[in-house]
Structures are given as C-alpha cells and as structure tokens.
C-alpha cells in the first residue's frame, strides 16, 4: 500500500547496497546466539535459537538461561512438550525475570503443566560427559546434575551482526539499530526504529 520495494531471499552485500545509491541505509540484521565461556566437554550443546529453529534434543535436557526473557523458557517449553525431561536453570531470582509481570502467570502455568523443573540463583560452571556443574550465586556452593543428555543455553550476551554496517561506514549515511547494535527487548527495538525513521524522513524532507 505504501509502495515499498520488498526483496526477499536477497543478500544485502556492500556492492548491492551501494548500487542502489541510497540516501540512507538502516542495518537491522539482528544478532546470533553466544556460547558460554565455560568448558563443555562431551555433552551435546545447543542454543535456544537452535531449538526455536527446530532442534529437538531428547532425554534429560538442562536449559541454562541468564537472558530472562521468552527465548530460554520458550525453548524449554517446546522441548518438554516434545517429550524431553527439562530443567531450566537461571542465575536470576526466578525464571523469566525480564518478562513483563503481567505475562508471568499464564507463562508459569504452562511451564508447570509441562512439568519443567525451575532452579533459580545458580550459574553454569561447566559440563563434562553427562554431568553439569552449577554454582549458587549467593553461597558459591556447587551442585551437580547427572545423567544430562543435552545442554541448551540462552544467554543475555549476543553476537551482533554488524559487519555490513562497518563495511558501509564512510561510504554512505548508515545507521545501526536493534540487536545488530546490542541485544535489547522487542519494544525497545520498535521504539528505536520509529525514532530513527522519523529522523531520516525529516532529514530527507529538508532536502
């Protein structure tokens, strides 16, 4: 309706972008999941992103989530519904600590209905074989989970997809927003995009 030229399945390379002779470029390519900076030896490890894209580890699955939003807990719910025995561990005071409180009651109801074990106040120390080591963030006491078949991680830290932005800097008016700049909640990204859009339109109208 607005006459937007929408191109799907097309890689936005530096050459293709510059060939369009744009007045401004907005890079919003998102981010990739980070991996934990601890030793994980001999235990299959997936990211929550992998699970949301279709990976389905079986058996006893431990989900480590320090992101505190829907990604980790949502992956845990998918795996439990697919038949896995799931425990979700977080260093925060409770699972889903960054989810809007109004969304927690129905979300927790589904987690409990799926018989997901929720363990708060513990961080990931490492894993070897089928054993995962956890540490209490308050007492530093360590505990083990044995017989784990797979580890799923959902980390607050993300790896931004900012390569195109840096390649275009100095060659065109380019802006980096969203997770491509730094991980943030969806509502913040929408606001950021709206503000930047208003600024760009205002600058173009000035010409």
């Amino acid at each position: 309706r607005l006459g937007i030229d929408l191109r799907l399945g097309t890689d936005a390379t530096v050459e293709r972008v510059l060939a369009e002779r744009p007045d401004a470029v907005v890079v919003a390519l998102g981010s990739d999941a980070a991996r934990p900076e601890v030793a994980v030896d001999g235990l299959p490890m997936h990211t929550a992103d992998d699970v949301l894209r279709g990976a389905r580890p079986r058996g006893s699955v431990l989900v480590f989530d320090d992101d505190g939003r829907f990604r980790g807990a949502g992956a845990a719910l998918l795996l439990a519904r697919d038949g896995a025995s799931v425990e979700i561990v977080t260093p925060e005071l409770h699972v889903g600590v960054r989810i809007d409180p109004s969304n927690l009651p129905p979300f927790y109801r589904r987690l409990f209905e799926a018989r997901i074990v929720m363990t708060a106040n513990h961080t990931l120390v490492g894993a070897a074989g089928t054993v995962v080591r956890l540490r209490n963030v308050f007492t530093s006491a360590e505990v083990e989970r044995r017989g784990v078949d797979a580890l799923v991680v959902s980390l607050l830290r993300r790896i931004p997809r900012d390569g195109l932005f840096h390649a275009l800097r100095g060659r065109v008016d380019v802006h980096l927003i969203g997770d491509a700049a730094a991980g943030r909640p969806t509502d913040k990204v929408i606001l950021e995009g709206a503000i930047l859009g208003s600024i760009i339109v205002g600058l173009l109208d000035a010409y």
Side-chain angles (χ1 to χ4, degrees), residues 9 15 54 56 71 87 112 116-117 121 149 178 180 185:
E15 293 74 19
R56 291 294 182 269
R71 184 182 285 112
E87 177 181 6
F112 280 118
I116 293 171
V117 176
N121 309 318
D149 296 304

Side-chain angles (χ1 to χ4, degrees), residues 8 14 18 23 27 35 43-44 89 113 146 153 167 171 193 195:
L8 304 178
V14 172
L18 294 178
D23 295 303
V27 177
R35 301 268 175 162
L43 179 65
V89 176
E113 287 172 350
R146 295 181 172 272
V153 294
R171 306 177 71 178
I195 293 173

